[in-house]
Amino acid sequence: MLIEHSAYTNRWRRVSPAAKGLFSLCGLVAAYAAATPAAACGSAAVLCVVTVLGAGIPPLRYLRVAAPALFFLAVSALSLAVSLKIGPSMADVSLHLARTGFQRVAQVCGRSLGGLAALLFLAMTTSLIDIIGLLRRLKTPEVLLDMMTLCYRTLFVFSEAVHDTLTAQSARLGYATMRHSMHSLGGLVATITVQVWQRSQALHVAALARNNDGPLRFLEQVYPHSTRDICLAVSGGAALVALVRVIS
Amino acid sequence: MHIMEGFLPLRHCIGWSVASAPFVAYGLRTINKGIKENPEQRMLLGVATAFTFVLSALKMFSVTGSCSHPTGTGLGAVLFGPAAMAPIGAVVLLFQAILLAHGGLTTLGANIFSMAIVGPFAAFGIYRLAQALKLPFGVCIFLAASMGDLLTYVTTSLQLALAFPDPVGGFAASFAKFAGIFAVTQIPLAISEGFLTVIVFNALARLNPQELKDLNVVTAKEVQA
């Protein structure tokens, strides 16, 4: 996972997640506050530069992470640009480019780029454990936090189990044809489904052995310059929103 | 197909989040009640969330020969119940946004509504209806998984059409346009997911019948059949 790798290796790893969350929120506000596509693209560019130059994320990795979302945006923009005209009969259906819709497509694309850049800033600079810690401070329901923590800790175990099983099945030509592929994938999912119960039982027994009496508790991470980081993030974020409003 | 970050207008983001919130809250209430009665469910649901996340990352061959990912809405709804699937889906979609940049934070409400609410509830309803009609177990599972998948994408089309009505034909033309685009990939994919889910349940019934009986997914008679 490229995002996960960046979240643990970037320059701002030790910066308070609250500060990064606030700056990302300001980025989202800027994307929605932009009245013109150019302003929204400007906001996206600023966020992109801050992520790459500030947090030290390699540009190529940034592009690789953004590529699927950009592909979705391109397809969606094309869908928005094309207008469907339905005539009186069902056979009288035609597609044409709606010229009046171009401004709307540009606005949506600009906003999406701004939003994506804000999301990538948070995702590529902040680990999920830090985000869960932040959500804990924001009083998110305990059961939801427990689900997130357990999911995060188990998904790599499952990923490895899936990888190992796929390798073993492939070695036995389990994915040689489409019919074999479907059968092998069905077997794989069934095996992993059973592991859900086996692993959860094992975790429950392990938790009981440690006198677990309910929610999972963790020590909160301490960030040395939290107040300073939050002040900087709010100032930077406010400046970004103001800039977007000015160039709109 | 997740709706990406920033794609929906602000009013729609808020509207879909408000629409999804009661379902997630009801799911959490159900889970909390379940945990009080069976504390081991806390671990089960966390691990089930990881399972759903990993499942959505698996490559699945579509009947058209293309490749995509299963949604797992039908499988999850039958195994864990539709109420639990709302919070599970919410966490999975949040993780997909943060770990994979699929979907987004502002569009989380809309994505939860289509993938974690409509899909699982529709799948579960169809499964129960098919059982009531005494259809064979495999047919019940196929219908639940494929229709759950398909209705998820119908809902996504509806969400996009509501947000971006066609300048000429309005909402109806926009819905036809988005549904038409999705149909090319999603109808074959829904059929593939239906077959895959049947294979999964057949394997479970053959190798792990006790787990299926414990979950009240099947009766002893159905396992033997």
PDB file of all heavy atoms in Angstrom, chain A residues 3-4 32 76 79 82-84 104 111 115 123 128 143 146 148 193-194 197, chain B residues 5-9 28 42 51 62 95 98-99 165-166 173 177 204 208 215:
ATOM      1  N   ILE A   3       0.074   4.451   0.033  1.00  0.00           N
ATOM      2  CA  ILE A   3      -0.331   5.510   0.967  1.00  0.00           C
ATOM      3  C   ILE A   3       0.188   5.183   2.369  1.00  0.00           C
ATOM      4  O   ILE A   3       0.742   6.047   3.059  1.00  0.00           O
ATOM      5  CB  ILE A   3      -1.868   5.675   0.966  1.00  0.00           C
ATOM      6  CG1 ILE A   3      -2.312   6.265  -0.383  1.00  0.00           C
ATOM      7  CG2 ILE A   3      -2.326   6.549   2.116  1.00  0.00           C
ATOM      8  CD1 ILE A   3      -3.783   6.559  -0.493  1.00  0.00           C
ATOM      9  N   GLU A   4       0.009   3.924   2.759  1.00  0.00           N
ATOM     10  CA  GLU A   4       0.440   3.475   4.082  1.00  0.00           C
ATOM     11  C   GLU A   4       1.951   3.686   4.255  1.00  0.00           C
ATOM     12  O   GLU A   4       2.407   4.166   5.285  1.00  0.00           O
ATOM     13  CB  GLU A   4       0.061   1.988   4.214  1.00  0.00           C
ATOM     14  CG  GLU A   4       0.343   1.356   5.533  1.00  0.00           C
ATOM     15  CD  GLU A   4      -0.601   1.810   6.626  1.00  0.00           C
ATOM     16  OE1 GLU A   4      -1.384   2.733   6.411  1.00  0.00           O
ATOM     17  OE2 GLU A   4      -0.494   1.239   7.714  1.00  0.00           O
ATOM     18  N   TYR A  32     -14.540  23.581  -1.903  1.00  0.00           N
ATOM     19  CA  TYR A  32     -15.972  23.881  -2.035  1.00  0.00           C
ATOM     20  C   TYR A  32     -16.246  25.390  -2.094  1.00  0.00           C
ATOM     21  O   TYR A  32     -17.254  25.817  -2.650  1.00  0.00           O
ATOM     22  CB  TYR A  32     -16.764  23.234  -0.889  1.00  0.00           C
ATOM     23  CG  TYR A  32     -17.108  21.793  -1.204  1.00  0.00           C
ATOM     24  CD1 TYR A  32     -16.286  20.751  -0.795  1.00  0.00           C
ATOM     25  CD2 TYR A  32     -18.231  21.476  -1.950  1.00  0.00           C
ATOM     26  CE1 TYR A  32     -16.586  19.426  -1.107  1.00  0.00           C
ATOM     27  CE2 TYR A  32     -18.545  20.169  -2.272  1.00  0.00           C
ATOM     28  CZ  TYR A  32     -17.720  19.146  -1.843  1.00  0.00           C
ATOM     29  OH  TYR A  32     -18.013  17.843  -2.173  1.00  0.00           O
ATOM     30  N   SER A  76     -15.990  10.279 -15.457  1.00  0.00           N
ATOM     31  CA  SER A  76     -17.185  10.970 -14.959  1.00  0.00           C
ATOM     32  C   SER A  76     -17.373  12.305 -15.676  1.00  0.00           C
ATOM     33  O   SER A  76     -18.511  12.686 -15.978  1.00  0.00           O
ATOM     34  CB  SER A  76     -17.075  11.211 -13.458  1.00  0.00           C
ATOM     35  OG  SER A  76     -16.825  10.015 -12.813  1.00  0.00           O
ATOM     36  N   SER A  79     -18.896  11.678 -18.911  1.00  0.00           N
ATOM     37  CA  SER A  79     -20.326  11.350 -18.745  1.00  0.00           C
ATOM     38  C   SER A  79     -21.143  12.617 -18.519  1.00  0.00           C
ATOM     39  O   SER A  79     -22.270  12.729 -19.008  1.00  0.00           O
ATOM     40  CB  SER A  79     -20.551  10.425 -17.548  1.00  0.00           C
ATOM     41  OG  SER A  79     -19.576   9.464 -17.475  1.00  0.00           O
ATOM     42  N   VAL A  82     -21.526  14.716 -21.818  1.00  0.00           N
ATOM     43  CA  VAL A  82     -22.430  14.167 -22.828  1.00  0.00           C
ATOM     44  C   VAL A  82     -23.871  14.257 -22.317  1.00  0.00           C
ATOM     45  O   VAL A  82     -24.157  13.929 -21.173  1.00  0.00           O
ATOM     46  CB  VAL A  82     -22.062  12.688 -23.125  1.00  0.00           C
ATOM     47  CG1 VAL A  82     -23.111  12.034 -24.004  1.00  0.00           C
ATOM     48  CG2 VAL A  82     -20.705  12.627 -23.792  1.00  0.00           C
ATOM     49  N   SER A  83     -24.744  14.720 -23.174  1.00  0.00           N
ATOM     50  CA  SER A  83     -26.146  14.857 -22.789  1.00  0.00           C
ATOM     51  C   SER A  83     -26.997  13.844 -23.563  1.00  0.00           C
ATOM     52  O   SER A  83     -26.757  13.619 -24.748  1.00  0.00           O
ATOM     53  CB  SER A  83     -26.599  16.276 -23.088  1.00  0.00           C
ATOM     54  OG  SER A  83     -27.892  16.471 -22.629  1.00  0.00           O
ATOM     55  N   LEU A  84     -27.942  13.251 -22.865  1.00  0.00           N
ATOM     56  CA  LEU A  84     -28.813  12.245 -23.493  1.00  0.00           C
ATOM     57  C   LEU A  84     -30.148  12.903 -23.851  1.00  0.00           C
ATOM     58  O   LEU A  84     -30.802  13.489 -22.983  1.00  0.00           O
ATOM     59  CB  LEU A  84     -29.044  11.095 -22.500  1.00  0.00           C
ATOM     60  CG  LEU A  84     -29.751   9.861 -23.002  1.00  0.00           C
ATOM     61  CD1 LEU A  84     -28.872   9.077 -23.956  1.00  0.00           C
ATOM     62  CD2 LEU A  84     -30.122   8.963 -21.827  1.00  0.00           C
ATOM     63  N   ARG A 104     -20.112  23.644 -15.976  1.00  0.00           N
ATOM     64  CA  ARG A 104     -20.435  22.791 -14.827  1.00  0.00           C
ATOM     65  C   ARG A 104     -19.409  21.670 -14.684  1.00  0.00           C
ATOM     66  O   ARG A 104     -18.953  21.367 -13.574  1.00  0.00           O
ATOM     67  CB  ARG A 104     -21.842  22.194 -15.018  1.00  0.00           C
ATOM     68  CG  ARG A 104     -22.308  21.368 -13.843  1.00  0.00           C
ATOM     69  CD  ARG A 104     -23.712  20.870 -14.001  1.00  0.00           C
ATOM     70  NE  ARG A 104     -23.834  19.869 -15.059  1.00  0.00           N
ATOM     71  CZ  ARG A 104     -24.866  19.030 -15.159  1.00  0.00           C
ATOM     72  NH1 ARG A 104     -25.851  19.114 -14.296  1.00  0.00           N
ATOM     73  NH2 ARG A 104     -24.930  18.147 -16.132  1.00  0.00           N
ATOM     74  N   ARG A 111     -13.315  21.173  -8.372  1.00  0.00           N
ATOM     75  CA  ARG A 111     -13.663  20.869  -6.972  1.00  0.00           C
ATOM     76  C   ARG A 111     -13.148  19.482  -6.582  1.00  0.00           C
ATOM     77  O   ARG A 111     -12.609  19.285  -5.487  1.00  0.00           O
ATOM     78  CB  ARG A 111     -15.179  20.944  -6.823  1.00  0.00           C
ATOM     79  CG  ARG A 111     -15.656  20.890  -5.395  1.00  0.00           C
ATOM     80  CD  ARG A 111     -17.144  21.105  -5.330  1.00  0.00           C
ATOM     81  NE  ARG A 111     -17.857  20.004  -5.967  1.00  0.00           N
ATOM     82  CZ  ARG A 111     -19.030  20.130  -6.579  1.00  0.00           C
ATOM     83  NH1 ARG A 111     -19.610  21.300  -6.666  1.00  0.00           N
ATOM     84  NH2 ARG A 111     -19.621  19.080  -7.125  1.00  0.00           N
ATOM     85  N   GLY A 115     -10.560  18.569  -3.677  1.00  0.00           N
ATOM     86  CA  GLY A 115     -10.925  17.618  -2.631  1.00  0.00           C
ATOM     87  C   GLY A 115      -9.955  16.447  -2.570  1.00  0.00           C
ATOM     88  O   GLY A 115      -9.526  16.036  -1.491  1.00  0.00           O
ATOM     89  N   ALA A 123      -4.098  11.586   3.986  1.00  0.00           N
ATOM     90  CA  ALA A 123      -3.819  10.147   3.904  1.00  0.00           C
ATOM     91  C   ALA A 123      -2.327   9.850   3.798  1.00  0.00           C
ATOM     92  O   ALA A 123      -1.837   8.895   4.398  1.00  0.00           O
ATOM     93  CB  ALA A 123      -4.557   9.567   2.705  1.00  0.00           C
ATOM     94  N   LEU A 128      -2.968   5.603   9.839  1.00  0.00           N
ATOM     95  CA  LEU A 128      -4.348   5.320  10.242  1.00  0.00           C
ATOM     96  C   LEU A 128      -4.468   5.224  11.766  1.00  0.00           C
ATOM     97  O   LEU A 128      -5.488   5.618  12.343  1.00  0.00           O
ATOM     98  CB  LEU A 128      -4.828   4.024   9.570  1.00  0.00           C
ATOM     99  CG  LEU A 128      -6.313   3.896   9.400  1.00  0.00           C
ATOM    100  CD1 LEU A 128      -6.919   5.066   8.647  1.00  0.00           C
ATOM    101  CD2 LEU A 128      -6.662   2.633   8.683  1.00  0.00           C
ATOM    102  N   VAL A 143     -17.375   1.480  20.121  1.00  0.00           N
ATOM    103  CA  VAL A 143     -17.490   0.244  19.337  1.00  0.00           C
ATOM    104  C   VAL A 143     -16.975   0.448  17.904  1.00  0.00           C
ATOM    105  O   VAL A 143     -16.327  -0.434  17.329  1.00  0.00           O
ATOM    106  CB  VAL A 143     -18.938  -0.310  19.385  1.00  0.00           C
ATOM    107  CG1 VAL A 143     -19.917   0.565  18.662  1.00  0.00           C
ATOM    108  CG2 VAL A 143     -19.001  -1.714  18.858  1.00  0.00           C
ATOM    109  N   ASP A 146     -13.216   0.458  18.130  1.00  0.00           N
ATOM    110  CA  ASP A 146     -12.713  -0.909  18.290  1.00  0.00           C
ATOM    111  C   ASP A 146     -12.720  -1.644  16.954  1.00  0.00           C
ATOM    112  O   ASP A 146     -11.777  -2.372  16.623  1.00  0.00           O
ATOM    113  CB  ASP A 146     -13.573  -1.687  19.303  1.00  0.00           C
ATOM    114  CG  ASP A 146     -13.257  -1.281  20.735  1.00  0.00           C
ATOM    115  OD1 ASP A 146     -12.304  -0.502  20.920  1.00  0.00           O
ATOM    116  OD2 ASP A 146     -13.966  -1.728  21.644  1.00  0.00           O
ATOM    117  N   MET A 148     -12.470  -0.272  14.026  1.00  0.00           N
ATOM    118  CA  MET A 148     -11.390   0.288  13.199  1.00  0.00           C
ATOM    119  C   MET A 148     -10.034  -0.271  13.617  1.00  0.00           C
ATOM    120  O   MET A 148      -9.235  -0.674  12.785  1.00  0.00           O
ATOM    121  CB  MET A 148     -11.359   1.816  13.351  1.00  0.00           C
ATOM    122  CG  MET A 148     -12.487   2.524  12.671  1.00  0.00           C
ATOM    123  SD  MET A 148     -12.248   4.300  12.886  1.00  0.00           S
ATOM    124  CE  MET A 148     -13.849   4.872  12.444  1.00  0.00           C
ATOM    125  N   THR A 193     -13.278 -16.751   4.979  1.00  0.00           N
ATOM    126  CA  THR A 193     -14.491 -16.535   5.782  1.00  0.00           C
ATOM    127  C   THR A 193     -14.416 -17.337   7.086  1.00  0.00           C
ATOM    128  O   THR A 193     -14.728 -16.819   8.159  1.00  0.00           O
ATOM    129  CB  THR A 193     -15.751 -16.967   4.986  1.00  0.00           C
ATOM    130  OG1 THR A 193     -15.754 -16.274   3.744  1.00  0.00           O
ATOM    131  CG2 THR A 193     -17.033 -16.648   5.735  1.00  0.00           C
ATOM    132  N   VAL A 194     -13.988 -18.575   6.985  1.00  0.00           N
ATOM    133  CA  VAL A 194     -13.876 -19.415   8.186  1.00  0.00           C
ATOM    134  C   VAL A 194     -12.819 -18.839   9.133  1.00  0.00           C
ATOM    135  O   VAL A 194     -12.989 -18.839  10.359  1.00  0.00           O
ATOM    136  CB  VAL A 194     -13.546 -20.869   7.795  1.00  0.00           C
ATOM    137  CG1 VAL A 194     -13.263 -21.708   9.027  1.00  0.00           C
ATOM    138  CG2 VAL A 194     -14.702 -21.465   7.014  1.00  0.00           C
ATOM    139  N   TRP A 197     -13.957 -16.376  11.939  1.00  0.00           N
ATOM    140  CA  TRP A 197     -14.382 -16.915  13.234  1.00  0.00           C
ATOM    141  C   TRP A 197     -13.189 -17.425  14.027  1.00  0.00           C
ATOM    142  O   TRP A 197     -13.083 -17.176  15.215  1.00  0.00           O
ATOM    143  CB  TRP A 197     -15.413 -18.024  13.027  1.00  0.00           C
ATOM    144  CG  TRP A 197     -16.743 -17.436  12.797  1.00  0.00           C
ATOM    145  CD1 TRP A 197     -17.653 -17.096  13.765  1.00  0.00           C
ATOM    146  CD2 TRP A 197     -17.286 -17.037  11.546  1.00  0.00           C
ATOM    147  NE1 TRP A 197     -18.729 -16.521  13.158  1.00  0.00           N
ATOM    148  CE2 TRP A 197     -18.551 -16.470  11.817  1.00  0.00           C
ATOM    149  CE3 TRP A 197     -16.841 -17.089  10.237  1.00  0.00           C
ATOM    150  CZ2 TRP A 197     -19.363 -15.966  10.822  1.00  0.00           C
ATOM    151  CZ3 TRP A 197     -17.659 -16.609   9.244  1.00  0.00           C
ATOM    152  CH2 TRP A 197     -18.901 -16.042   9.529  1.00  0.00           C
TER     153      TRP A 197
ATOM    154  N   GLU B   5     -13.831  11.892  -4.007  1.00  0.00           N
ATOM    155  CA  GLU B   5     -13.785  13.079  -3.157  1.00  0.00           C
ATOM    156  C   GLU B   5     -14.123  14.347  -3.946  1.00  0.00           C
ATOM    157  O   GLU B   5     -13.595  14.560  -5.034  1.00  0.00           O
ATOM    158  CB  GLU B   5     -12.375  13.204  -2.561  1.00  0.00           C
ATOM    159  CG  GLU B   5     -12.191  14.329  -1.580  1.00  0.00           C
ATOM    160  CD  GLU B   5     -13.036  14.160  -0.327  1.00  0.00           C
ATOM    161  OE1 GLU B   5     -12.605  13.431   0.574  1.00  0.00           O
ATOM    162  OE2 GLU B   5     -14.110  14.768  -0.263  1.00  0.00           O
ATOM    163  N   GLY B   6     -15.014  15.164  -3.396  1.00  0.00           N
ATOM    164  CA  GLY B   6     -15.333  16.458  -3.995  1.00  0.00           C
ATOM    165  C   GLY B   6     -16.269  16.409  -5.184  1.00  0.00           C
ATOM    166  O   GLY B   6     -16.595  17.456  -5.739  1.00  0.00           O
ATOM    167  N   PHE B   7     -16.698  15.213  -5.600  1.00  0.00           N
ATOM    168  CA  PHE B   7     -17.489  15.107  -6.833  1.00  0.00           C
ATOM    169  C   PHE B   7     -18.930  15.595  -6.633  1.00  0.00           C
ATOM    170  O   PHE B   7     -19.502  16.211  -7.521  1.00  0.00           O
ATOM    171  CB  PHE B   7     -17.484  13.657  -7.336  1.00  0.00           C
ATOM    172  CG  PHE B   7     -17.876  13.530  -8.783  1.00  0.00           C
ATOM    173  CD1 PHE B   7     -16.997  13.921  -9.785  1.00  0.00           C
ATOM    174  CD2 PHE B   7     -19.116  13.060  -9.148  1.00  0.00           C
ATOM    175  CE1 PHE B   7     -17.353  13.833 -11.119  1.00  0.00           C
ATOM    176  CE2 PHE B   7     -19.482  12.961 -10.483  1.00  0.00           C
ATOM    177  CZ  PHE B   7     -18.594  13.350 -11.471  1.00  0.00           C
ATOM    178  N   LEU B   8     -19.491  15.331  -5.462  1.00  0.00           N
ATOM    179  CA  LEU B   8     -20.893  15.728  -5.232  1.00  0.00           C
ATOM    180  C   LEU B   8     -20.975  17.156  -4.685  1.00  0.00           C
ATOM    181  O   LEU B   8     -20.085  17.582  -3.940  1.00  0.00           O
ATOM    182  CB  LEU B   8     -21.540  14.771  -4.228  1.00  0.00           C
ATOM    183  CG  LEU B   8     -21.796  13.342  -4.673  1.00  0.00           C
ATOM    184  CD1 LEU B   8     -22.454  12.551  -3.532  1.00  0.00           C
ATOM    185  CD2 LEU B   8     -22.681  13.270  -5.906  1.00  0.00           C
ATOM    186  N   PRO B   9     -22.035  17.880  -5.026  1.00  0.00           N
ATOM    187  CA  PRO B   9     -22.233  19.210  -4.424  1.00  0.00           C
ATOM    188  C   PRO B   9     -22.401  19.098  -2.905  1.00  0.00           C
ATOM    189  O   PRO B   9     -22.829  18.043  -2.405  1.00  0.00           O
ATOM    190  CB  PRO B   9     -23.522  19.717  -5.075  1.00  0.00           C
ATOM    191  CG  PRO B   9     -23.728  18.855  -6.276  1.00  0.00           C
ATOM    192  CD  PRO B   9     -23.094  17.549  -5.985  1.00  0.00           C
ATOM    193  N   LEU B  28     -25.026   0.322  15.019  1.00  0.00           N
ATOM    194  CA  LEU B  28     -24.170   0.382  16.215  1.00  0.00           C
ATOM    195  C   LEU B  28     -24.950  -0.046  17.461  1.00  0.00           C
ATOM    196  O   LEU B  28     -24.408  -0.732  18.332  1.00  0.00           O
ATOM    197  CB  LEU B  28     -23.628   1.805  16.405  1.00  0.00           C
ATOM    198  CG  LEU B  28     -22.487   2.216  15.473  1.00  0.00           C
ATOM    199  CD1 LEU B  28     -22.134   3.673  15.670  1.00  0.00           C
ATOM    200  CD2 LEU B  28     -21.246   1.349  15.694  1.00  0.00           C
ATOM    201  N   ARG B  42     -17.393  -8.480  19.732  1.00  0.00           N
ATOM    202  CA  ARG B  42     -16.545  -7.294  19.522  1.00  0.00           C
ATOM    203  C   ARG B  42     -15.400  -7.639  18.570  1.00  0.00           C
ATOM    204  O   ARG B  42     -15.125  -6.934  17.609  1.00  0.00           O
ATOM    205  CB  ARG B  42     -15.981  -6.819  20.871  1.00  0.00           C
ATOM    206  CG  ARG B  42     -15.151  -5.546  20.793  1.00  0.00           C
ATOM    207  CD  ARG B  42     -14.562  -5.229  22.149  1.00  0.00           C
ATOM    208  NE  ARG B  42     -15.594  -5.018  23.158  1.00  0.00           N
ATOM    209  CZ  ARG B  42     -16.235  -3.869  23.342  1.00  0.00           C
ATOM    210  NH1 ARG B  42     -15.932  -2.831  22.604  1.00  0.00           N
ATOM    211  NH2 ARG B  42     -17.150  -3.755  24.266  1.00  0.00           N
ATOM    212  N   PHE B  51     -12.020  -8.477   6.951  1.00  0.00           N
ATOM    213  CA  PHE B  51     -12.359  -9.456   5.911  1.00  0.00           C
ATOM    214  C   PHE B  51     -13.054  -8.755   4.736  1.00  0.00           C
ATOM    215  O   PHE B  51     -12.723  -8.976   3.571  1.00  0.00           O
ATOM    216  CB  PHE B  51     -13.254 -10.543   6.534  1.00  0.00           C
ATOM    217  CG  PHE B  51     -13.962 -11.420   5.543  1.00  0.00           C
ATOM    218  CD1 PHE B  51     -13.264 -12.358   4.803  1.00  0.00           C
ATOM    219  CD2 PHE B  51     -15.330 -11.316   5.364  1.00  0.00           C
ATOM    220  CE1 PHE B  51     -13.917 -13.171   3.894  1.00  0.00           C
ATOM    221  CE2 PHE B  51     -15.991 -12.118   4.471  1.00  0.00           C
ATOM    222  CZ  PHE B  51     -15.287 -13.048   3.721  1.00  0.00           C
ATOM    223  N   SER B  62     -14.897 -11.133 -14.571  1.00  0.00           N
ATOM    224  CA  SER B  62     -16.298 -10.932 -14.920  1.00  0.00           C
ATOM    225  C   SER B  62     -16.644 -11.860 -16.079  1.00  0.00           C
ATOM    226  O   SER B  62     -15.752 -12.336 -16.781  1.00  0.00           O
ATOM    227  CB  SER B  62     -16.503  -9.473 -15.320  1.00  0.00           C
ATOM    228  OG  SER B  62     -17.771  -9.296 -15.869  1.00  0.00           O
ATOM    229  N   PHE B  95     -11.759   3.405   5.434  1.00  0.00           N
ATOM    230  CA  PHE B  95     -10.412   2.854   5.234  1.00  0.00           C
ATOM    231  C   PHE B  95     -10.022   2.910   3.750  1.00  0.00           C
ATOM    232  O   PHE B  95      -8.876   3.178   3.425  1.00  0.00           O
ATOM    233  CB  PHE B  95     -10.357   1.403   5.732  1.00  0.00           C
ATOM    234  CG  PHE B  95     -10.043   1.294   7.201  1.00  0.00           C
ATOM    235  CD1 PHE B  95     -10.594   2.183   8.109  1.00  0.00           C
ATOM    236  CD2 PHE B  95      -9.203   0.314   7.689  1.00  0.00           C
ATOM    237  CE1 PHE B  95     -10.310   2.098   9.469  1.00  0.00           C
ATOM    238  CE2 PHE B  95      -8.902   0.215   9.042  1.00  0.00           C
ATOM    239  CZ  PHE B  95      -9.470   1.101   9.931  1.00  0.00           C
ATOM    240  N   ILE B  98      -8.985   6.429   2.999  1.00  0.00           N
ATOM    241  CA  ILE B  98      -7.707   6.856   3.590  1.00  0.00           C
ATOM    242  C   ILE B  98      -6.528   5.997   3.134  1.00  0.00           C
ATOM    243  O   ILE B  98      -5.438   6.503   2.903  1.00  0.00           O
ATOM    244  CB  ILE B  98      -7.824   6.878   5.128  1.00  0.00           C
ATOM    245  CG1 ILE B  98      -8.803   7.996   5.529  1.00  0.00           C
ATOM    246  CG2 ILE B  98      -6.476   7.126   5.791  1.00  0.00           C
ATOM    247  CD1 ILE B  98      -9.180   8.000   6.978  1.00  0.00           C
ATOM    248  N   LEU B  99      -6.757   4.709   2.982  1.00  0.00           N
ATOM    249  CA  LEU B  99      -5.629   3.834   2.629  1.00  0.00           C
ATOM    250  C   LEU B  99      -5.435   3.669   1.120  1.00  0.00           C
ATOM    251  O   LEU B  99      -4.340   3.365   0.662  1.00  0.00           O
ATOM    252  CB  LEU B  99      -5.818   2.441   3.254  1.00  0.00           C
ATOM    253  CG  LEU B  99      -5.667   2.338   4.760  1.00  0.00           C
ATOM    254  CD1 LEU B  99      -5.990   0.925   5.219  1.00  0.00           C
ATOM    255  CD2 LEU B  99      -4.267   2.709   5.217  1.00  0.00           C
ATOM    256  N   PRO B 165     -28.479  16.606 -12.857  1.00  0.00           N
ATOM    257  CA  PRO B 165     -29.550  16.359 -13.842  1.00  0.00           C
ATOM    258  C   PRO B 165     -29.121  16.846 -15.220  1.00  0.00           C
ATOM    259  O   PRO B 165     -28.382  17.834 -15.333  1.00  0.00           O
ATOM    260  CB  PRO B 165     -30.737  17.159 -13.298  1.00  0.00           C
ATOM    261  CG  PRO B 165     -30.171  18.104 -12.319  1.00  0.00           C
ATOM    262  CD  PRO B 165     -28.887  17.547 -11.823  1.00  0.00           C
ATOM    263  N   ASP B 166     -29.550  16.149 -16.246  1.00  0.00           N
ATOM    264  CA  ASP B 166     -29.159  16.494 -17.611  1.00  0.00           C
ATOM    265  C   ASP B 166     -29.743  17.869 -17.990  1.00  0.00           C
ATOM    266  O   ASP B 166     -30.915  18.133 -17.704  1.00  0.00           O
ATOM    267  CB  ASP B 166     -29.697  15.409 -18.559  1.00  0.00           C
ATOM    268  CG  ASP B 166     -29.068  15.494 -19.919  1.00  0.00           C
ATOM    269  OD1 ASP B 166     -29.518  16.325 -20.727  1.00  0.00           O
ATOM    270  OD2 ASP B 166     -28.122  14.734 -20.167  1.00  0.00           O
ATOM    271  N   ALA B 173     -33.208  11.552 -17.891  1.00  0.00           N
ATOM    272  CA  ALA B 173     -32.161  11.335 -18.903  1.00  0.00           C
ATOM    273  C   ALA B 173     -30.810  11.110 -18.246  1.00  0.00           C
ATOM    274  O   ALA B 173     -30.011  10.269 -18.689  1.00  0.00           O
ATOM    275  CB  ALA B 173     -32.095  12.538 -19.839  1.00  0.00           C
ATOM    276  N   LYS B 177     -28.537   7.805 -18.427  1.00  0.00           N
ATOM    277  CA  LYS B 177     -27.146   7.916 -18.899  1.00  0.00           C
ATOM    278  C   LYS B 177     -26.179   7.215 -17.926  1.00  0.00           C
ATOM    279  O   LYS B 177     -25.387   6.371 -18.335  1.00  0.00           O
ATOM    280  CB  LYS B 177     -26.798   9.408 -19.019  1.00  0.00           C
ATOM    281  CG  LYS B 177     -25.416   9.701 -19.558  1.00  0.00           C
ATOM    282  CD  LYS B 177     -25.229  11.202 -19.753  1.00  0.00           C
ATOM    283  CE  LYS B 177     -25.157  11.929 -18.444  1.00  0.00           C
ATOM    284  NZ  LYS B 177     -24.972  13.377 -18.587  1.00  0.00           N
ATOM    285  N   LEU B 204     -18.434 -23.505   1.928  1.00  0.00           N
ATOM    286  CA  LEU B 204     -18.665 -23.423   3.382  1.00  0.00           C
ATOM    287  C   LEU B 204     -19.582 -24.549   3.851  1.00  0.00           C
ATOM    288  O   LEU B 204     -19.332 -25.163   4.888  1.00  0.00           O
ATOM    289  CB  LEU B 204     -19.295 -22.073   3.740  1.00  0.00           C
ATOM    290  CG  LEU B 204     -18.358 -20.864   3.773  1.00  0.00           C
ATOM    291  CD1 LEU B 204     -19.153 -19.584   3.941  1.00  0.00           C
ATOM    292  CD2 LEU B 204     -17.349 -20.985   4.901  1.00  0.00           C
ATOM    293  N   ASN B 208     -17.456 -26.413   6.191  1.00  0.00           N
ATOM    294  CA  ASN B 208     -17.699 -25.833   7.513  1.00  0.00           C
ATOM    295  C   ASN B 208     -19.199 -25.666   7.790  1.00  0.00           C
ATOM    296  O   ASN B 208     -19.671 -24.550   8.031  1.00  0.00           O
ATOM    297  CB  ASN B 208     -17.013 -24.456   7.626  1.00  0.00           C
ATOM    298  CG  ASN B 208     -15.541 -24.532   7.325  1.00  0.00           C
ATOM    299  OD1 ASN B 208     -15.147 -24.466   6.171  1.00  0.00           O
ATOM    300  ND2 ASN B 208     -14.731 -24.719   8.351  1.00  0.00           N
ATOM    301  N   LEU B 215     -24.658 -19.556  12.644  1.00  0.00           N
ATOM    302  CA  LEU B 215     -25.044 -18.196  12.242  1.00  0.00           C
ATOM    303  C   LEU B 215     -26.498 -18.109  11.777  1.00  0.00           C
ATOM    304  O   LEU B 215     -26.953 -17.048  11.365  1.00  0.00           O
ATOM    305  CB  LEU B 215     -24.147 -17.729  11.084  1.00  0.00           C
ATOM    306  CG  LEU B 215     -22.770 -17.233  11.476  1.00  0.00           C
ATOM    307  CD1 LEU B 215     -21.884 -17.195  10.256  1.00  0.00           C
ATOM    308  CD2 LEU B 215     -22.861 -15.860  12.089  1.00  0.00           C
TER     309      LEU B 215
END
